[in-house]
Amino acid sequence: MPDLPSSAERLLVGLSPIQQEAARWNDGAMLLMAGPGSGKTRVLTRRIARLLEESADQKYKILGLTFTNKAADEMRSRVEDLVPDHASRLFLGTFHSFCAEVLRQHGTHLGIAPDFRIYSSRGDLELILRGALEEVRKQGGDIGDADASLLPVIERLRAELVEPTEAPLHVASESLKERITAIYTAYDACQKRTNALDFGSLLFYAVKLFREFPAFARRYRKVYAYWCIDEFQDTNTSQYALLRAMAGDEFKNLFAVADDDQIIYEWNGASHRRLEDFKRDFEPEVLQLPTNFRCPPHIVLLANNLIRHNVRRMPGKKPFESGKATGLFEQGAVRIGRYASEREETQAVAQDIRRLRAGALHEVAVLARNRRLLEIAQRALAEVQVHSVIAQRRDSFESAPFVWLNACLRQSNHRRDAQNLELLCATFRELTGVELEHSDVIASAETTHQDYLRQWADLATSAEFPPLAQEAARQVTEQLVRKTDYTSFTAFATRWFDTLMQGDVAGGSDERFAGYANDKRAWALLNKEISQTLGARAPLEAFLHELDLRSKEPPPQGNMVTLMTIHGSKGKEFDHIYLIGLAEDQLPSFQAKKRGPQSVEMEEERRNCFVAITRARETLTLTYAQIYSGYSKEPSRFLTEMGFQIPLSG
């Protein structure tokens, strides 16, 4: 009788020999080259679970970093299922979540209070920039109309870890060199004055903390004995600098999972050079997972044919192998369609989906290089009564109820936030008809020496207001003023919203509930995910930071097709993929064509195509048209590179 597997070895059952080799890796740096569908998440989570179980009598923790909350949540759930007794010794989240936690704990050394706000919406950041420009103008600075569009420049400087005093060395415009220091300095000061950080600032200040206070880096190395980085190829300058600043010169226990064939975020600072930097700085062992278990063999063949045209790849990389047995869909796993115009192309795709996939629309995705083509496809799907949704990040709630709820929680966390109070008063008025001006609340608070939230709640409980409005104000006092029981308050608020919908407290129309159903579904999912990440008793400021970092996009509802840009599809997979717009100037883009066939930009476009086709578990449908936006286009060169015999339009 064979020996039963040990407690830790049981975690490796079901992995292939090469996957087991990776999951057994202990000390030292490892670079695991894992292509699409190679089981890298399985390997990563099994390795984490094994390390935790084998060190049950030790106190160190494991740090896991990735790029999306969805990926982090999935991996955390898998680890908790494997080793439920040890999951508390794991931090698994995004780079931004980790940096927020670091700054909550130690940001005071840089003048950042723990209850900082994370600004994710473009509107909030543009508001800060306008305030900064006004400050520079007051100080006699020469500010022009064009300076209102400098937000991308400041964000790039932040991402490259450039201090305001160094900014002139990093901008090309001679006229901007003269004033960028003042504008960038004022922008930074506005953020600190309002105790607000944007995504780039989270990384900027975390790196700054570790560089200026190396004792904190030593502490994190001691607490987190092993680091695991998912999708390492997507790290930008500041993310890699964070790892280097934390690691110092000696720490090497970094397990990086990467695929240089899936670098599609170069516009955000990702680069194939990052893998070279990692190999130089950490001297890792390199191991490849060459087997694709997701796609049928025909699709794997196309992917290999395509990506071998890129010359900027890791030396010695093996072609992908197919590990998926042929099945029902193998005979027609790949189809290609040519059409006269983008209109005919999207109509044909819509009709095909209705004819073949109507019973499982949730397993269908339509991918395109740009959103414009997706919008045309969505209209075509609607014409044949096929429900669909364009997946995209949403940084804020849209309906008055959830904007008010969010404002109440933020006011509880930052009691004298006048800007947030204005939003709280406006949405409460929209919901209940109660006229309370934020300026009056502030004036009363200054007289009574109370904070703004307590003063608002006291005024809103006046007998002249509707009973339901008074009840909400009393709950604010009880749950958010006298104590910080945000969990009980959010439970009350969601019940209260339903009561409001049944009546007509404000004497208005249902417009106040526009977007409410989507926000309600998004809130329920976010509340669940954040509770699983932080625990049910997490501090309010930690809850709000996670809320800021996550998309407010509602989960898909019912049986509908998902439409996504290729960038948005990264990390996803579907049974049936329709990749539309495979024409020159679409995919590859006009900009890549302009740069030339051997350019970095063309290689990234090829990787975009590679990512798109490898999302498919069963079938892949490729389409292109002869005319886009009224202009004739040739078929994409990527079709020929994949191995198709494609006639030219002319």
Side-chain angles (χ1 to χ4, degrees):
M1 177 180 292
D3 293 334
L4 293 174
S6 69
S7 179
E9 284 294 305
R10 70 175 174 82
L11 299 170
L12 308 185
V13 172
L15 299 182
S16 69
I18 193 73
Q19 289 175 332
Q20 288 192 15
E21 182 180 349
R24 284 196 174 96
W25 183 260
N26 284 320
D27 297 333
M30 163 67 80
L31 177 57
L32 182 65
M33 303 301 294
S38 61
K40 55 108 174 166
T41 302
R42 202 171 180 219
V43 169
L44 194 55
T45 52
R46 297 294 184 96
R47 177 176 182 266
I48 290 171
R50 181 189 63 78
L51 288 171
L52 289 171
E53 186 152 304
E54 288 182 344
S55 62
D57 58 341
Q58 300 185 45
K59 294 183 178 180
Y60 72 73
K61 296 184 178 182
I62 293 176
L63 175 64
L65 298 177
T66 187
F67 285 83
T68 69
N69 286 297
K70 293 292 186 186
D73 291 343
E74 179 189 349
M75 286 192 285
R76 187 184 308 104
S77 177
R78 291 195 192 189
V79 173
E80 289 174 349
D81 287 343
L82 292 168
V83 286
D85 295 336
H86 305 301
S88 61
R89 293 172 51 213
L90 170 68
F91 180 98
L92 220 170
T94 64
F95 276 87
H96 293 104
S97 293
F98 177 68
C99 290
E101 176 64 22
V102 168
L103 295 176
R104 270 199 303 274
Q105 299 295 326
H106 311 294
T108 51
H109 291 81
L110 299 175
I112 301 168
D115 62 347
F116 59 85
R117 173 87 181 268
I118 300 174
Y119 281 162
S120 56
S121 77
R122 210 70 185 160
D124 286 335
L125 299 180
E126 288 170 350
L127 187 64
I128 290 179
L129 178 59
R130 286 198 295 271
L133 294 176
E134 184 60 30
E135 193 65 33
V136 173
R137 189 179 286 110
K138 287 179 181 178
Q139 296 172 4
D142 182 20
I143 298 299
D145 293 340
D147 292 333
S149 60
L150 284 178
L151 188 57
V153 175
I154 293 175
E155 288 179 317
R156 180 177 60 81
L157 292 171
R158 273 282 197 245
E160 295 296 322
L161 303 176
V162 176
E163 295 279 359
T165 54
E166 303 167 340
L169 302 175
H170 297 266
V171 295
S173 169
E174 291 298 325
S175 61
L176 182 57
K177 285 179 185 290
E178 299 175 2
R179 60 190 191 283
I180 187 62
T181 296
I183 295 171
Y184 188 7
T185 300
Y187 181 88
D188 187 54
C190 282
Q191 282 194 322
K192 286 186 174 178
R193 187 168 58 251
T194 58
N195 200 32
L197 300 176
D198 55 30
F199 283 6
S201 296
L202 290 171
L203 284 152
F204 180 91
Y205 283 112
V207 173
K208 189 179 181 74
L209 179 81
F210 288 131
R211 285 177 173 174
E212 295 186 3
F213 301 92
F216 288 126
R218 288 194 296 271
R219 183 184 303 177
Y220 276 85
R221 291 197 293 271
K222 183 176 181 180
V223 171
Y224 294 103
Y226 294 95
W227 304 353
C228 304
I229 315 299
D230 189 27
E231 303 287 1
F232 183 85
Q233 76 279 349
D234 292 337
T235 52
N236 60 22
T237 299
S238 54
Q239 288 158 342
Y240 187 66
L242 176 77
L243 298 174
R244 291 288 295 117
M246 248 195 338
D249 295 327
E250 303 301 326
F251 186 87
K252 299 293 184 183
N253 286 344
L254 199 157
F255 187 95
V257 181
D259 182 16
D260 56 340
D261 292 330
Q262 296 189 76
I263 301 173
I264 61 172
Y265 296 111
E266 291 200 83
W267 51 270
N268 196 39
S271 170
H272 65 279
R273 296 187 184 90
R274 203 79 64 233
L275 298 179
E276 297 170 5
D277 294 340
F278 179 60
K279 291 173 71 175
R280 181 194 65 233
D281 296 335
F282 289 88
E283 300 176 326
E285 290 288 327
V286 179
L287 186 66
Q288 183 182 351
L289 298 182
T291 305
N292 177 302
F293 297 98
R294 176 191 300 159
C295 307
H298 288 181
I299 297 176
V300 173
L301 176 63
L302 297 183
N304 279 327
N305 289 345
L306 175 68
I307 205 63
R308 66 181 174 82
H309 287 82
N310 275 3
V311 298
R312 297 172 181 87
R313 302 178 74 199
M314 287 280 286
K317 195 168 185 183
K318 302 173 185 175
F320 297 107
E321 305 167 358
S322 176
K324 185 168 186 173
T326 58
L328 176 64
F329 295 102
E330 178 59 22
Q331 187 65 31
V334 179
R335 299 177 300 161
I336 189 167
R338 176 189 183 191
Y339 303 94
S341 69
E342 59 193 351
R343 171 74 171 154
E344 291 185 17
E345 178 187 11
T346 53
Q347 284 179 329
V349 166
Q351 291 163 358
D352 192 77
I353 291 173
R354 183 185 180 188
R355 181 172 59 88
L356 297 178
R357 317 294 178 208
L361 297 178
H362 62 286
E363 292 294 355
V364 177
V366 178
L367 308 183
R369 181 65 177 82
N370 59 68
R371 183 183 170 89
R372 175 188 164 275
L373 201 52
L374 293 178
E375 291 172 347
I376 297 173
Q378 187 173 43
R379 290 194 292 271
L381 286 164
E383 289 171 1
V384 294
Q385 289 79 50
V386 171
H387 297 295
S388 65
V389 60
I390 297 179
Q392 61 180 354
R393 182 181 173 86
R394 199 174 67 157
D395 289 320
S396 58
F397 295 107
E398 296 178 347
S399 67
F402 284 94
V403 173
W404 178 77
L405 170 57
N406 199 20
C408 286
L409 298 183
R410 296 193 181 286
Q411 202 71 43
S412 178
N413 193 52
H414 197 187
R415 299 296 182 87
R416 298 184 72 81
D417 186 337
Q419 182 179 334
N420 185 74
L421 178 67
E422 184 175 4
L423 185 61
L424 190 158
C425 291
T427 48
F428 195 68
R429 178 170 59 249
E430 187 176 351
L431 290 172
T432 66
V434 169
E435 296 284 348
L436 277 178
E437 294 296 331
H438 76 286
S439 55
D440 294 337
V441 174
I442 292 172
S444 296
E446 299 302 333
T447 302
T448 59
H449 305 290
Q450 295 195 119
D451 64 67
Y452 297 164
L453 184 62
R454 181 183 292 272
Q455 189 63 52
W456 175 86
D458 287 350
L459 294 173
T461 54
S462 170
E464 65 183 276
F465 296 138
L468 276 174
Q470 294 181 54
E471 174 61 16
R474 281 193 292 270
Q475 288 291 329
V476 168
T477 300
E478 182 64 28
Q479 308 296 349
L480 298 182
V481 174
R482 293 176 181 164
K483 52 186 177 180
T484 311
D485 188 354
Y486 67 89
T487 302
S488 295
F489 181 74
T490 55
F492 157 77
T494 51
R495 294 193 303 270
W496 186 67
F497 297 153
D498 290 338
T499 302
L500 286 180
M501 287 192 69
Q502 294 169 9
D504 196 12
V505 176
S509 69
D510 288 338
E511 289 180 4
R512 60 204 164 111
F513 287 98
Y516 175 72
N518 283 338
D519 279 352
K520 185 176 181 179
R521 286 169 32 236
W523 179 271
L525 181 62
L526 286 165
N527 205 32
K528 178 182 177 182
E529 290 175 345
I530 295 173
S531 294
Q532 290 173 341
T533 301
L534 301 177
R537 299 182 181 276
L540 175 58
E541 63 192 31
F543 176 88
L544 290 174
H545 287 162
E546 276 296 311
L547 191 63
D548 285 332
L549 291 168
R550 291 171 180 261
S551 173
K552 314 306 182 294
E553 177 188 357
Q557 188 177 31
N559 192 34
M560 60 175 57
V561 175
T562 301
L563 299 98
M564 312 178 82
T565 63
I566 294 172
H567 286 100
S569 73
K570 182 80 176 300
K572 309 273 194 316
E573 56 184 74
F574 295 85
D575 282 352
H576 310 290
I577 292 291
Y578 290 77
L579 177 57
I580 61 177
L582 269 164
E584 295 288 294
D585 297 334
Q586 299 289 319
L587 182 64
S589 68
F590 171 78
Q591 291 79 7
K593 272 186 61 180
K594 189 175 179 181
R595 294 285 185 177
Q598 305 303 320
S599 65
V600 171
E601 290 80 3
M602 184 61 74
E603 290 210 353
E604 183 169 12
E605 288 296 283
R606 190 173 285 111
R607 291 193 293 268
N608 268 299
C609 188
F610 174 84
V611 166
I613 66 177
T614 55
R615 301 308 94 197
R617 288 191 295 248
E618 296 292 352
T619 71
L620 173 67
T621 303
L622 308 171
T623 66
Y624 66 99
Q626 296 171 280
I627 295 176
Y628 289 90
S629 301
Y631 294 93
S632 296
K633 303 295 179 185
E634 295 295 337
S636 171
R637 69 192 68 195
F638 300 151
L639 289 167
T640 303
E641 291 176 359
M642 281 187 254
F644 294 105
Q645 299 296 319
I646 303 296
L648 296 179
S649 300

